[in-house]
Amino acid sequence: MDEFVLIFRHEDGTKIASPEQIQVWMKQTMDWIGGIAAQNKFVSGTGLPFADAKIVGHGGVVTNGPFGEIKETIGGFVIVKAESVDEAVEFAKGCPVLQGDGNTVEVRKVAKNDGTH
Amino acid sequence: MHQPQLIPHLFRTEYRKIVSVLCRRFGFEQMEVAEDIASDTFLTAAQTWAYKGIPPNPTAWLYNVAKNKAKNHLQRNTVFENKVSPEIKKDEAEDDTWDLDLSPQNINDSQLQMMFAICHPAISPESQIGLSLRILCGFGIDEVAEAFLTSKDTINKRLYRAKEKIRNEKIKIEMPEPAEINARLDNVLTTIYLLFSEGYYSVSQNQVLRKKLCFEAMRLCHILIENQNTNKPPVNALLALMYFHASRFEARTGKNGELILYDDQDINLWDLEMVAKGAWYLNEAAGGSQLSRYHLEAGIAYWNTQKEDTREKWENILQLYNRLLQIAYSPVAALNRTFALAKANGPEAAIIEAEKLNLTGNQFYFTLLGELYTGIDNEKALLNFKKALALIKTEADAQLVQRKISKLMK
């Protein structure tokens, strides 16, 4: 079994959603993660708040977010256990982030510290 | 109290105290001696009281006899003279009016320290429970054997090996350093919870014994709460959890010891006082920022004391399971979460999630799928109930599923 990180890219949710929508989205996310955990495939994960986001550029230049030219930025990630990238992709498909037009979930294998990479 | 009950009663409450205090004084090397002195004290009591009547304060009498026996032992025993005596603190050794401190404070301290010693990570969980039952709960070997559904011989061997381990690892009877308490407390709580579960989910038909196991586990948890160093949020959460569970003890089994399912339980048999106590300790557990599995399980158990089938109830239970599975996965929790999901989000959503669990060796997995499909796709429901039936080992469970099958066939 390998570990995969599912990286969510989406717009700053607080700017586009009403509190009611955020509430719904939160419940969907909790149920989605609960479903992965119920299969004993959840490792860890967290949100990355947009508030206080900084970008440190070349030469130590610090700027505030938002984040240059890109429309979507990383809003959070979870790490799951999966037999294959395909299974990880199946987990990703259930992610509520994908309900937003243009949002993505990137699936990346986590390197093991065992010399196979 | 009449004498036939008095000795067993005192044995249950006092044996462990005497053993704990003696062990702390002598060290674990002399554990058998401590047990012998405690047993001997009760033998003397039985012999004396039978002829001279029960003294006005039987407990004080027992302590006095235990003290004297300990003193005699020390004076006579050469092993002690040569090996243990130099270890005992100097000021105590110089004190020629040797006395055993059986004050309530010292008894509590000794029991608390004993709890940490027994729950040392070097000792297997099985032995931890066995030792706890014997040393901390004062259970007879017969009772320990029945709790584990095994022979006295097996238990004696297991306890012997555990004690040897304690000696070899040189485990001391003392409180861990404050910084270490949290780490070690985890193990203590696990043992207490296992002890409780041993009683609550035991297949032993001996109702009295089962209840005793549960209440002993709760008593040990109370000792932790009474000490400010160990009165931590997870300890309160665990006690709350046990109170919530224990409140349904009477309703869970019928006259013949058969299990009564939650939905069929008579609410009048639920102990509301225990529910209130559980709520109180759950409230106490809310201090601090640590969210343990016991907090989440206590939350779930709380909602299960609310029989009314509200949306709010199931939504709360679902979210608690969502969190619980992230920190402590178990197939049972995964199945229960799916049941809560069906109640909160509807059976269609739950079926999709249930199919992913893939717990194909588990009868309850197929029973749950059967339940979820009932009314939506009765053929699939039937198929799953039949798969469950093939895995079921007990007659009672088989009858339950058989009834569901007959309902579908109508």
Side-chain angles (χ1 to χ4, degrees):
Chain A
M1 196 103 70
D2 286 315
E3 289 188 2
F4 293 86
V5 57
L6 314 185
I7 304 161
F8 319 141
R9 291 182 198 278
H10 56 86
E11 275 189 283
D12 182 350
T14 57
K15 283 184 186 149
I16 53 165
S18 68
E20 289 76 19
Q21 285 172 309
I22 291 173
Q23 177 70 38
V24 171
W25 177 81
M26 218 172 69
K27 169 169 161 54
Q28 288 173 341
T29 305
M30 289 192 289
D31 287 352
W32 174 62
I33 290 174
I36 297 171
Q39 298 171 60
N40 201 13
K41 301 257 170 97
F42 179 82
V43 179
S44 66
T46 187
L48 301 169
F50 289 86
D52 276 341
K54 304 279 181 204
I55 294 188
V56 183
H58 178 69
V61 181
V62 178
T63 53
N64 290 332
F67 305 81
E69 301 302 307
I70 53 168
K71 184 184 165 217
E72 307 93 16
T73 188
I74 299 174
F77 64 89
V78 302
I79 298 174
V80 299
K81 285 181 277 186
E83 295 292 349
S84 64
V85 67
D86 295 331
E87 189 186 0
V89 164
E90 283 307 312
F91 286 139
K93 280 182 184 169
C95 180
V97 160
L98 293 176
Q99 291 166 18
D101 193 23
N103 293 350
T104 60
V105 177
E106 185 174 329
V107 179
R108 302 288 296 270
K109 190 162 161 177
V110 178
K112 288 180 189 163
N113 201 14
D114 60 0
T116 56
H117 291 274
Chain B
M1 202 178 287
H2 295 301
Q3 202 188 334
Q5 288 120 41
L6 182 67
I7 295 270
H9 169 77
L10 287 174
F11 189 86
R12 173 132 358 267
T13 57
E14 306 307 326
Y15 174 87
R16 57 185 171 224
K17 294 180 186 168
I18 295 170
V19 170
S20 289
V21 171
L22 286 171
C23 264
R24 188 184 178 198
R25 186 69 190 258
F26 295 169
F28 262 133
E29 301 75 33
Q30 302 284 314
M31 194 162 181
E32 270 92 8
V33 173
E35 286 189 272
D36 283 348
I37 289 174
S39 302
D40 211 32
T41 301
F42 281 93
L43 192 66
T44 309
Q47 287 165 342
T48 315
W49 299 354
Y51 299 103
K52 297 189 176 167
I54 297 162
N57 186 343
T59 305
W61 191 98
L62 286 171
Y63 287 178
N64 230 342
V65 171
K67 277 182 201 175
N68 287 334
K69 284 191 190 293
K71 215 181 214 170
N72 288 342
H73 171 78
L74 293 185
Q75 278 162 358
R76 267 186 258 129
N77 197 293
T78 49
V79 176
F80 179 87
E81 294 295 330
N82 303 331
K83 288 186 182 167
V84 185
S85 188
E87 303 283 316
I88 291 184
K89 283 180 207 130
K90 229 182 169 185
D91 55 327
E92 281 175 336
E94 280 167 0
D95 186 1
D96 51 354
T97 56
W98 191 89
D99 204 6
L100 195 61
D101 180 3
L102 278 155
S103 64
Q105 181 63 43
N106 194 48
I107 287 173
N108 266 351
D109 289 352
S110 300
Q111 290 207 280
L112 193 64
Q113 294 174 10
M114 186 65 113
M115 220 186 296
F116 275 90
I118 286 175
C119 300
H120 194 277
I123 303 166
S124 74
E126 218 175 36
S127 300
Q128 287 179 3
I129 302 177
L131 276 180
S132 299
L133 286 174
R134 180 73 184 135
I135 306 295
L136 293 172
C137 307
F139 274 48
I141 296 293
D142 297 29
E143 289 176 309
V144 181
E146 198 182 336
F148 283 110
L149 296 176
T150 179
S151 69
K152 273 168 74 169
D153 213 31
T154 308
I155 292 299
N156 270 326
K157 277 184 200 145
R158 189 183 297 168
L159 294 184
Y160 177 76
R161 277 196 301 269
K163 286 179 202 166
E164 221 169 26
K165 186 104 190 173
I166 284 174
R167 275 189 284 261
N168 293 342
E169 299 276 332
K170 300 202 164 43
I171 294 168
K172 288 209 174 72
I173 305 174
E174 61 187 14
M175 278 307 278
E177 294 295 313
E180 214 194 311
I181 282 187
N182 273 341
R184 291 282 299 279
L185 195 56
D186 267 355
N187 224 19
V188 174
L189 294 183
T190 306
T191 303
I192 292 177
Y193 195 20
L194 284 173
L195 194 61
F196 184 87
S197 303
E198 199 69 50
Y200 200 69
Y201 299 107
S202 161
V203 281
S204 158
Q205 293 294 315
N206 186 338
Q207 279 275 359
V208 181
L209 175 70
R210 292 171 54 186
K211 220 184 284 182
K212 242 184 328 198
L213 282 167
C214 290
F215 289 141
E216 280 300 324
M218 291 162 78
R219 187 185 63 83
L220 294 178
C221 210
H222 269 293
I223 295 182
L224 291 172
I225 285 173
E226 278 157 25
N227 187 295
Q228 58 170 0
N229 292 321
T230 50
N231 183 15
K232 310 255 180 185
V235 182
N236 285 275
L238 175 59
L239 188 57
L241 167 61
M242 294 192 289
Y243 268 118
F244 288 140
H245 276 324
S247 72
R248 285 201 304 281
F249 211 109
E250 300 297 331
R252 278 179 78 245
T253 43
K255 281 194 202 88
N256 305 316
E258 77 277 14
L259 204 64
I260 297 177
L261 294 181
Y262 179 76
D263 277 335
D264 305 324
Q265 287 173 13
D266 178 0
I267 304 187
N268 295 318
L269 293 175
W270 291 7
D271 186 331
L272 297 182
E273 203 176 312
M274 283 204 193
V275 174
K277 276 193 181 151
W280 197 81
Y281 284 108
L282 189 54
N283 217 20
E284 290 289 293
S289 57
Q290 194 193 352
L291 189 71
S292 67
R293 61 174 293 195
Y294 304 117
H295 284 90
L296 296 164
E297 289 186 49
I300 292 164
Y302 162 76
W303 280 105
N304 278 324
T305 64
Q306 310 296 306
K307 192 131 187 184
E308 220 178 316
D309 224 5
T310 61
R311 180 79 206 274
E312 187 200 10
K313 166 179 170 174
W314 291 107
E315 185 53 45
N316 274 299
I317 292 179
L318 172 62
Q319 294 311 335
L320 289 162
Y321 273 121
N322 281 344
R323 298 290 300 275
L324 178 64
L325 282 158
Q326 290 173 40
I327 58 172
Y329 168 84
S330 73
V332 179
L335 288 170
N336 288 338
R337 183 230 173 222
T338 313
F339 182 74
L341 188 77
K343 290 281 198 178
N345 293 5
E348 287 87 355
I351 286 173
I352 298 169
E353 292 280 292
E355 296 277 12
K356 289 181 194 159
L357 298 183
N358 222 16
L359 297 166
T360 48
N362 188 319
Q363 61 178 81
F364 301 108
Y365 172 63
F366 290 114
T367 311
L368 176 70
L369 273 173
E371 293 278 2
L372 293 176
Y373 272 120
T374 300
I376 291 175
D377 184 339
N378 282 349
E379 228 155 86
K380 278 198 173 160
L382 209 55
L383 195 74
N384 280 296
F385 281 137
K386 282 182 178 162
K387 279 186 188 169
L389 212 48
L391 291 167
I392 284 173
K393 288 179 189 75
T394 70
E395 187 57 33
D397 285 352
Q399 280 176 8
L400 216 75
V401 172
Q402 198 65 58
R403 249 177 278 147
K404 290 180 193 294
I405 290 177
S406 337
K407 245 190 213 168
L408 279 171
M409 302 285 256
K410 269 181 200 163

PDB file of all heavy atoms in Angstrom, chain B residues 4 25 29 56 113 127 148 151 380:
ATOM      1  N   PRO B   4     -21.684 -14.501  56.171  1.00  0.00           N
ATOM      2  CA  PRO B   4     -21.407 -15.119  54.866  1.00  0.00           C
ATOM      3  C   PRO B   4     -21.140 -14.094  53.774  1.00  0.00           C
ATOM      4  O   PRO B   4     -20.398 -14.361  52.838  1.00  0.00           O
ATOM      5  CB  PRO B   4     -22.686 -15.906  54.569  1.00  0.00           C
ATOM      6  CG  PRO B   4     -23.331 -16.138  55.888  1.00  0.00           C
ATOM      7  CD  PRO B   4     -22.940 -14.981  56.755  1.00  0.00           C
ATOM      8  N   ARG B  25       5.489  -0.779  49.801  1.00  0.00           N
ATOM      9  CA  ARG B  25       6.464  -0.751  50.882  1.00  0.00           C
ATOM     10  C   ARG B  25       7.620  -1.727  50.614  1.00  0.00           C
ATOM     11  O   ARG B  25       8.778  -1.400  50.803  1.00  0.00           O
ATOM     12  CB  ARG B  25       5.748  -1.113  52.177  1.00  0.00           C
ATOM     13  CG  ARG B  25       6.590  -1.001  53.413  1.00  0.00           C
ATOM     14  CD  ARG B  25       6.897   0.461  53.698  1.00  0.00           C
ATOM     15  NE  ARG B  25       7.891   0.579  54.741  1.00  0.00           N
ATOM     16  CZ  ARG B  25       7.615   0.877  55.996  1.00  0.00           C
ATOM     17  NH1 ARG B  25       6.386   1.117  56.361  1.00  0.00           N
ATOM     18  NH2 ARG B  25       8.566   0.953  56.892  1.00  0.00           N
ATOM     19  N   GLU B  29       9.428  -7.071  44.124  1.00  0.00           N
ATOM     20  CA  GLU B  29      10.137  -8.340  44.328  1.00  0.00           C
ATOM     21  C   GLU B  29       9.379  -9.200  45.324  1.00  0.00           C
ATOM     22  O   GLU B  29       9.446 -10.421  45.286  1.00  0.00           O
ATOM     23  CB  GLU B  29      11.562  -8.104  44.861  1.00  0.00           C
ATOM     24  CG  GLU B  29      12.471  -7.246  43.987  1.00  0.00           C
ATOM     25  CD  GLU B  29      12.106  -5.769  44.057  1.00  0.00           C
ATOM     26  OE1 GLU B  29      11.653  -5.329  45.126  1.00  0.00           O
ATOM     27  OE2 GLU B  29      12.260  -5.078  43.034  1.00  0.00           O
ATOM     28  N   PRO B  56     -16.295  -4.651  66.133  1.00  0.00           N
ATOM     29  CA  PRO B  56     -17.103  -3.472  65.784  1.00  0.00           C
ATOM     30  C   PRO B  56     -16.632  -2.782  64.506  1.00  0.00           C
ATOM     31  O   PRO B  56     -17.449  -2.291  63.738  1.00  0.00           O
ATOM     32  CB  PRO B  56     -16.950  -2.542  66.988  1.00  0.00           C
ATOM     33  CG  PRO B  56     -16.011  -3.195  67.932  1.00  0.00           C
ATOM     34  CD  PRO B  56     -15.716  -4.577  67.484  1.00  0.00           C
ATOM     35  N   GLN B 113      -0.411   4.301  42.090  1.00  0.00           N
ATOM     36  CA  GLN B 113       0.921   3.937  41.610  1.00  0.00           C
ATOM     37  C   GLN B 113       0.944   2.508  41.106  1.00  0.00           C
ATOM     38  O   GLN B 113       1.599   2.187  40.112  1.00  0.00           O
ATOM     39  CB  GLN B 113       1.932   4.133  42.737  1.00  0.00           C
ATOM     40  CG  GLN B 113       2.072   5.599  43.109  1.00  0.00           C
ATOM     41  CD  GLN B 113       2.959   5.801  44.306  1.00  0.00           C
ATOM     42  OE1 GLN B 113       3.623   4.878  44.755  1.00  0.00           O
ATOM     43  NE2 GLN B 113       2.969   7.016  44.830  1.00  0.00           N
ATOM     44  N   SER B 127      -2.244  -9.567  30.093  1.00  0.00           N
ATOM     45  CA  SER B 127      -1.740  -9.699  31.458  1.00  0.00           C
ATOM     46  C   SER B 127      -2.092  -8.478  32.285  1.00  0.00           C
ATOM     47  O   SER B 127      -2.327  -8.584  33.494  1.00  0.00           O
ATOM     48  CB  SER B 127      -0.221  -9.884  31.450  1.00  0.00           C
ATOM     49  OG  SER B 127       0.120 -11.036  30.745  1.00  0.00           O
ATOM     50  N   PHE B 148     -12.183 -14.494  31.680  1.00  0.00           N
ATOM     51  CA  PHE B 148     -11.451 -14.764  30.436  1.00  0.00           C
ATOM     52  C   PHE B 148     -11.909 -16.054  29.772  1.00  0.00           C
ATOM     53  O   PHE B 148     -11.338 -16.477  28.768  1.00  0.00           O
ATOM     54  CB  PHE B 148      -9.942 -14.868  30.715  1.00  0.00           C
ATOM     55  CG  PHE B 148      -9.265 -13.546  30.911  1.00  0.00           C
ATOM     56  CD1 PHE B 148      -8.802 -13.152  32.146  1.00  0.00           C
ATOM     57  CD2 PHE B 148      -9.094 -12.692  29.832  1.00  0.00           C
ATOM     58  CE1 PHE B 148      -8.166 -11.933  32.317  1.00  0.00           C
ATOM     59  CE2 PHE B 148      -8.458 -11.471  29.996  1.00  0.00           C
ATOM     60  CZ  PHE B 148      -7.991 -11.092  31.236  1.00  0.00           C
ATOM     61  N   SER B 151      -9.154 -21.561  32.099  1.00  0.00           N
ATOM     62  CA  SER B 151      -9.005 -22.319  33.337  1.00  0.00           C
ATOM     63  C   SER B 151      -8.182 -21.547  34.379  1.00  0.00           C
ATOM     64  O   SER B 151      -7.415 -20.648  34.036  1.00  0.00           O
ATOM     65  CB  SER B 151      -8.309 -23.646  33.045  1.00  0.00           C
ATOM     66  OG  SER B 151      -6.968 -23.393  32.694  1.00  0.00           O
ATOM     67  N   LYS B 380     -31.269  -7.869  -3.538  1.00  0.00           N
ATOM     68  CA  LYS B 380     -29.912  -7.672  -3.015  1.00  0.00           C
ATOM     69  C   LYS B 380     -29.916  -7.790  -1.489  1.00  0.00           C
ATOM     70  O   LYS B 380     -28.952  -8.283  -0.904  1.00  0.00           O
ATOM     71  CB  LYS B 380     -29.366  -6.306  -3.426  1.00  0.00           C
ATOM     72  CG  LYS B 380     -28.799  -6.322  -4.831  1.00  0.00           C
ATOM     73  CD  LYS B 380     -27.892  -5.134  -5.075  1.00  0.00           C
ATOM     74  CE  LYS B 380     -27.206  -5.269  -6.419  1.00  0.00           C
ATOM     75  NZ  LYS B 380     -26.697  -3.980  -6.908  1.00  0.00           N
TER      76      LYS B 380
END
